[in-house]
Structures are given as C-alpha cells and as structure tokens.
Amino acid sequence: MEKSYWYKDSVIYQIYPLSFKDSNSDGYGDIRGIISKLDYIKTLGIDAIRLFQLFDASSLYTISPNIGTTNDLKELIDECHKINLKVILDIPVYDESIELIENIKELISLKVDGFILCIKTLKNKKIFNILNESIFKERDLFITVEPYNKKYLKNDNIDTIIDYSIFKSDTKFNNQFLKRKFNLIKLKKGLFKNQIKYFNKYSSALILENINSQRSNSRFGINYHDYWFEATTMLPLITYFTKGIPFIYQGQEIGIINTPFTRIEELKDPLSISTYNKLLKIFKPKKAFEIVKSSASDNVRTPMQWNQSAHSGFSDITPWMMVNPTYPLINLYVDQNIDNSIYYFYKDLIRIRKNNSVFLNGNIKEYNHLNKYIIVYKRYEEDEVFVISNFSDKQHNYKLPKEIRNKNLSVLISNYKDNDINNNSINLRPYEALLIKVE
C-alpha cells in the first residue's frame, strides 16, 4: 500500500490517560474520559492524539484496568475517526516478539493509525525488523521509534525522528535529575541540527513536553514567576514553526507549571522514588527531595486542570495523584474566558502554521547561532518568514539580518501586543517572540 504521509502536516496532542479525565468517579483518568473531551481536542486544531502508557506494566499488552477495556479503545478510535482525528499508540518493545506481533495485529484490526515503539535496547531491533516486514510496510501507518537512534533511520518505514536533544540544554548525561545551567546554544543545536541534516528525508517530532519531562515553562532557566505568559507562549512560537510535526502535551496549551511538591510521598513515578532513595546515600532527605522534585516526571502527570471546581474538574473524588495547587488560576475554563490567553495563542499559532505551506515544505536557515540570548531563523520557499525571539528575562536589542533591513515586514503573531521594530533592528522585551512575514 502506498503511504499517504498524513502526519506530515498534522499537529498531535499527547495524552496521559490516567491524568486526563475521570469518567466514572474512581479517581483515575480513563479512555471514556478522553472520549468526553474529543470535541475540545479537535477545536484546538489537533489532527491526531498520542496515548501514553495505555497498557498495564504487569501484563505487557493488556490495557490497564483503571484505564479501560479493548471495547473502550475501539469506541475511542471510532469516535476519533468520526471527527477526523487519528490515533497513535505508544508501544513498549520487549523481547517477547510473538506476543508483541499479535498485539500489534489486534490493534491494527481496531484501526489504530500509528505506533511509536519505545525500544530500550538495540537488541530489540530484530523485533522491529520482524514487525516492519510482516505488518508495517503494507499499511498506511505512522511509525517511528523512541528514543532516537540513527541506526533505525535506514528503515524505509521510519521517516520521523523523535529526538530530545533540546533537553540537553539544561541537563547532563541524558539524566533528567542532573541539572546544568541552561545553555541556549545547546538548545539551538538540539532544535536545528537534525532538521537541517535530514531535511529532505525525515521530519522531526517537535516536542517541548511529554510524559517523561517536566513542564517546559518551568525549566530552561525560565523566569516564569515574573513572565509566565510571555515565556509560556515564546516556547511554542520558536519551536512549532520549524520543520517538523508539533506534539503538544496535555495542559501545555494552558501553561501549567511544575507542581510545588512538598514531600516525597506526593511523587508517584517509580524513577523519581528510586532516584530519591539513591540520593539519600549522599544527601540529607531535604536536599535529596529538592533535587528530585523539580526534575521529576510527576510534574507532567498531575491531573489535567479543566476548571476551578474541586479536583480541577478532573474527577468527582480525590484523584490517584495530587492536583497541582495552581489549578484555581491556571485551568482551561479561565483561559477560554479571557481574550489574551495561552489557549487562544496556541489556537492562533496552529491556525497560522496550517494556513501557510512554507511551514510544511519551506527550507530553514538559522541565524546568530552563538548568540546566548536571541534565537532567529527563517523559513522560505515562495513566501519568506522569520522567527525572532528573546530567550531571557532581560531586554535586548537585536540587529535584523541584512537581507530584511529596510524592507516591509508584517507581524503574523507575537506574544506582545505591539513590537518595537525599525528599519534595522528590533527592541526585544523579556521572552518576546514574533513571527514576521517579509512582504
């Protein structure tokens, strides 16, 4: 079957089912909760959903009882397809290749649209090759592997790279708990290197948050206490107009920040807890907890903040995991009822991206790579657009690239209401970001 590559111009919404929406008042998010929010997801401008950790870890490929049943999943897929939403599943790859193959076949029979294979070791490559030859290559599916390894790029079915190199800008040795001072140049390298290197063959998954990260506006050296709106909107603007497929994680579109955990018992992720226990061999409990809490994946696993009601509208009872106490101020209901909100900024950004082919097919060129505060790049084909942003909480004056000085420029989207641009330069306020079209 010839592939349609439907995902090339898609925007994908990432869902952690346990914390998205509880439909049956048991404190756990579930598949039917996702079904109840499909209209919201579609209205945001989303084309596909990605589901994390659908399966019970103790039984490999059985859907977790708290999340739902195979019949629930089939209903979800059917309801998604009715409103032109695709469904992508994360699949853990173990050595049990026969069981995995049968599971994949069953999911395909439900009309799943794609798989992200979470491959822990290269020895699992053999399993992937079996899947590719026996199942994938004859079907119109979105297929990629995680984490990124260039050895998989030799496979014809892999045409999307999931690469978390931007996270190296504030961590060491690929370890989320080993923090380093944020380095914008490292973030630029992580964002642009593979896009430019593999431009004509592979798409990049443009990811700021996922189930194993922290909230993006609470890292990268960002001063979100003083510039929450500006920093939170700057991040998607500089990321999602590059070459690739935007992935938005639940709650990112309303600017949820890291959770102010106060004790280790509030954390649920096994990695957070095991890291804390290891750190106790070196540090006192208070210090060990301080190291773990800001970097823990628990920060993105708290219940979705739907509204200001009890438990943030996620459930009628106390949820399986604590709700971020910021929910009375940061929630979807509040954001949808004010004009200048992060939610509406995301909607506008997605609309602009979809309405201009330069973001799908256009070339990309970065400027001023060694600048420690400013990020600038150009997308171009028939149209020519520039993204210019100040990645700091201080004001900076930036001299425009020579090719656009003294030209007519129009601002397509910005996180400030007005912009101080003259013929030669732009005065950038803290975390100011804008997309400029060259007329």
Side-chain angles (χ1 to χ4, degrees):
M1 176 185 290
E2 186 175 346
K3 294 188 72 166
S4 66
Y5 301 100
W6 56 264
Y7 43 87
K8 292 287 188 178
D9 58 353
S10 293
V11 178
I12 298 173
Y13 192 82
Q14 305 175 100
I15 296 174
Y16 178 45
L18 274 180
S19 290
F20 191 64
K21 177 62 178 173
D22 173 15
S23 72
N24 60 355
S25 300
D26 66 353
Y28 295 91
D30 47 54
I31 293 172
R32 304 201 68 80
I34 299 171
I35 293 172
S36 73
K37 296 296 183 179
L38 289 180
D39 286 343
Y40 160 69
I41 294 169
K42 187 65 180 179
T43 302
L44 184 59
I46 301 300
D47 303 289
I49 59 173
R50 173 190 187 183
L51 302 182
F52 290 106
Q53 293 192 3
L54 196 64
F55 303 104
D56 189 350
S58 63
S59 57
L60 295 183
Y61 303 116
T62 301
I63 295 176
S64 174
N66 290 323
I67 293 175
T69 65
T70 301
N71 287 336
D72 291 333
L73 178 60
K74 184 180 187 309
E75 183 177 345
L76 170 63
I77 295 167
D78 291 344
E79 291 300 313
C80 283
H81 289 169
K82 286 178 184 177
I83 57 174
N84 200 25
L85 278 176
K86 306 286 190 181
V87 179
I88 299 168
L89 302 184
D90 269 34
I91 301 290
V93 176
Y94 302 98
D95 292 331
E96 294 81 358
S97 56
I98 301 300
E99 188 172 353
L100 175 59
I101 290 170
E102 292 306 312
N103 176 253
I104 294 283
K105 287 180 178 178
E106 180 184 5
L107 293 170
I108 288 176
S109 74
L110 300 180
K111 302 208 171 5
V112 170
D113 302 289
F115 300 97
I116 296 176
L117 304 175
C118 304
I119 298 178
K120 300 301 182 184
T121 65
L122 280 176
K123 68 181 181 180
N124 298 133
K125 185 178 180 182
K126 179 180 178 181
I127 303 171
F128 175 75
N129 289 337
I130 294 171
L131 287 168
N132 184 56
E133 290 300 317
S134 62
I135 301 177
F136 294 153
K137 73 176 184 179
E138 299 300 327
R139 291 174 170 85
D140 186 20
L141 296 168
F142 170 81
I143 303 293
T144 192
V145 297
E146 185 184 61
Y148 160 72
N149 189 302
K150 63 183 180 182
K151 293 186 178 182
Y152 290 106
L153 297 184
K154 297 176 182 178
N155 190 289
D156 291 339
N157 258 320
I158 300 295
D159 56 16
T160 303
I161 298 171
I162 296 183
D163 179 16
Y164 296 112
S165 292
I166 65 166
F167 296 154
K168 295 178 182 178
S169 62
D170 65 354
T171 60
K172 301 176 184 177
F173 309 119
N174 292 323
N175 186 323
Q176 69 194 72
F177 299 103
L178 293 178
K179 304 297 286 186
R180 62 151 43 106
K181 184 178 179 182
F182 172 67
N183 185 315
L184 180 59
I185 297 172
K186 286 184 179 293
L187 184 141
K188 293 179 187 180
K189 182 180 178 181
L191 183 60
F192 294 113
K193 182 180 177 181
N194 280 334
Q195 291 192 34
I196 294 171
K197 182 177 180 179
Y198 300 117
F199 181 82
N200 291 319
K201 189 167 184 181
Y202 303 107
S203 295
S204 293
L206 307 175
I207 297 176
L208 287 165
E209 298 178 10
N210 76 358
I211 192 177
N212 294 314
S213 71
Q214 306 104 59
R215 289 295 180 180
S216 55
N217 58 7
S218 302
R219 62 182 306 175
F220 304 131
I222 285 174
N223 176 4
Y224 67 86
H225 297 287
D226 296 322
Y227 300 102
W228 171 69
F229 175 85
E230 294 82 2
T232 303
T233 48
M234 175 268 295
L235 287 167
L237 197 154
I238 65 172
T239 305
Y240 295 149
F241 288 120
T242 61
K243 165 79 170 169
I245 304 169
F247 283 68
I248 299 170
Y249 183 80
Q250 63 186 54
Q252 181 186 325
E253 76 277 18
I254 57 172
I256 295 177
I257 62 175
N258 273 1
T259 301
F261 296 111
T262 58
R263 52 197 179 90
I264 191 63
E265 290 77 15
E266 293 171 338
L267 305 184
K268 303 295 185 183
D269 181 19
L271 181 59
S272 302
I273 296 167
S274 64
T275 301
Y276 172 77
N277 289 330
K278 289 176 184 177
L279 289 171
L280 287 178
K281 298 177 182 179
I282 307 171
F283 302 106
K284 293 182 178 180
K286 183 178 179 180
K287 177 64 175 177
F289 180 62
E290 287 297 317
I291 293 172
V292 169
K293 74 171 186 176
S294 63
S295 300
S297 299
D298 302 83
N299 285 293
V300 293
R301 300 186 185 189
T302 54
M304 176 65 177
Q305 296 167 210
W306 294 107
N307 55 46
Q308 297 159 302
S309 66
H311 316 305
S312 71
F314 164 76
S315 178
D316 294 332
I317 69 169
T318 301
W320 73 279
M321 186 175 188
M322 70 172 285
V323 177
N324 189 324
T326 62
Y327 81 87
L329 296 175
I330 303 176
N331 64 73
L332 177 64
Y333 178 81
V334 167
D335 238 31
Q336 287 183 321
N337 284 279
I338 55 176
D339 293 333
N340 188 31
S341 73
I342 293 169
Y343 167 77
Y344 286 114
F345 188 89
Y346 266 84
K347 285 195 70 171
D348 286 345
L349 185 151
I350 292 169
R351 175 183 53 79
I352 291 168
R353 179 185 166 87
K354 288 185 173 184
N355 288 340
N356 196 324
S357 66
V358 71
F359 301 117
L360 177 62
N361 302 313
N363 291 299
I364 186 167
K365 179 181 178 181
E366 185 196 1
Y367 294 77
N368 306 101
H369 179 73
L370 296 180
N371 191 308
K372 297 179 181 179
Y373 306 103
I374 310 296
I375 183 167
V376 180
Y377 63 89
K378 166 173 84 168
R379 298 297 308 275
Y380 61 101
E381 46 171 15
E382 293 181 7
D383 290 332
E384 188 175 79
V385 295
F386 279 76
V387 167
I388 301 175
S389 178
N390 176 8
F391 206 120
S392 80
D393 61 357
K394 302 293 189 295
Q395 186 167 297
H396 292 279
N397 185 269
Y398 174 70
K399 203 166 202 179
L400 296 172
K402 289 182 181 180
E403 64 206 80
I404 60 170
R405 292 177 196 167
N406 301 306
K407 287 196 173 183
N408 291 328
L409 307 174
S410 59
V411 177
L412 300 182
I413 187 171
S414 173
N415 56 357
Y416 278 79
K417 290 183 178 179
D418 56 355
N419 306 102
D420 185 8
I421 309 175
N422 59 42
N423 290 334
N424 295 300
S425 65
I426 177 171
N427 189 42
L428 294 167
R429 289 155 292 189
Y431 302 109
E432 183 168 359
L434 56 163
L435 175 68
I436 298 173
K437 184 177 181 180
V438 182
E439 302 293 351

